[in-house]
Amino acid sequence: MTKKLVSSVAAGALLVGVTFAPTSFAQQTTTPPPPAEPAPTEMQPGGTTPPATEPPAADQAQKPPPAGTEAPADTTAEADYLTEQKDDQIATSTYVGQSVYNAADESIGEINDLIIKKDGGVEAAVIGVGGFLGIGEKNVAVPFDRIEIAEQADTAALKLTTTETADTLKAAPEFKTKAQLMAERQSAQPVDTSTTSSTGTTPATPTQPAPQQ
């Protein structure tokens, strides 16, 4: 009786171990997680996919140019602009008002203007001669190649000398500008006085008295 009871207990314990063994093994075995699904792509209206994001413009500007690539030259620096007056260049304002001296170092007049060709180059210097303080003075256009220019030491001043004399300049013909010539032509045109004014009135004829009967 006792042996049967022990055998029954042992059989029951064996049955219980066989029953719970698969369950315990299943709990210890881990199932790998499912693969992550890609995030859904947002669609723009109309079914178009948004373009890829480009790096900011600031990042692109900071990137140095490829090796061997030269930066574009500044076209403004290549223009032929003068930035300073050279030793062989003289401003016309330097001439105007300058006295002209003869060979005896005597002032024979002052330069009032310069005549410049349209294609460049100074053709003549207009010198005012005679008169006093500009009164009674006349202008004489002296060819510019007859005037010598000498620079004063350590200054920007010039000394102008010529082979002309006061007498030769006084005897030379007077120089007239284009404006002066046009004014003379207009003043020389006769005025037509034959036309009557449109607002003029004709005097009325006096009334004759009626003859007596």
Side-chain angles (χ1 to χ4, degrees):
M1 183 65 181
T2 302
K3 290 181 180 181
K4 289 183 180 181
L5 181 59
V6 172
S7 298
S8 299
V9 172
L14 180 62
L15 181 60
V16 171
V18 173
T19 303
F20 287 97
T23 304
S24 175
F25 179 78
Q27 292 178 355
Q28 294 178 359
T29 304
T30 58
T31 304
E37 296 182 359
T41 303
E42 296 182 1
M43 301 295 290
Q44 296 291 337
T48 58
T49 304
T53 304
E54 297 182 357
D59 296 342
Q60 295 180 355
Q62 295 178 357
K63 293 183 180 179
T69 304
E70 296 182 357
D74 188 0
T75 56
T76 306
E78 298 179 358
D80 297 333
Y81 296 111
L82 298 180
T83 58
E84 59 183 14
Q85 183 177 347
K86 299 181 180 179
D87 294 336
D88 58 346
Q89 297 172 342
I90 302 175
T92 57
S93 58
T94 307
Y95 288 109
V96 178
Q98 286 283 340
S99 296
V100 182
Y101 298 87
N102 58 12
D105 201 21
E106 298 173 344
S107 177
I108 58 176
E110 291 183 356
I111 294 182
N112 294 332
D113 206 347
L114 295 176
I115 304 303
I116 302 175
K117 296 180 180 180
K118 290 183 178 180
D119 57 354
V122 181
E123 188 167 2
V126 180
I127 302 177
V129 296
F132 179 73
L133 297 178
I135 301 175
E137 181 181 84
K138 77 170 183 177
N139 289 325
V140 178
V142 179
F144 203 70
D145 56 3
R146 298 184 189 177
I147 299 176
E148 296 181 0
I149 305 170
E151 294 184 358
Q152 303 295 323
D154 300 329
T155 64
L158 302 176
K159 185 172 183 179
L160 308 178
T161 58
T162 180
T163 55
E164 298 285 343
T165 64
D167 293 336
T168 58
L169 292 180
K170 289 178 182 179
E174 183 179 4
F175 173 78
K176 297 180 181 180
T177 63
K178 185 182 295 185
Q180 290 174 331
L181 294 175
M182 292 179 63
E184 290 180 357
R185 293 193 193 102
Q186 292 177 359
S187 62
Q189 293 179 356
V191 179
D192 189 3
T193 58
S194 60
T195 58
T196 57
S197 175
S198 59
T199 58
T201 57
T202 304
T205 304
T207 303
Q208 297 292 335
Q212 295 180 358
Q213 296 290 336

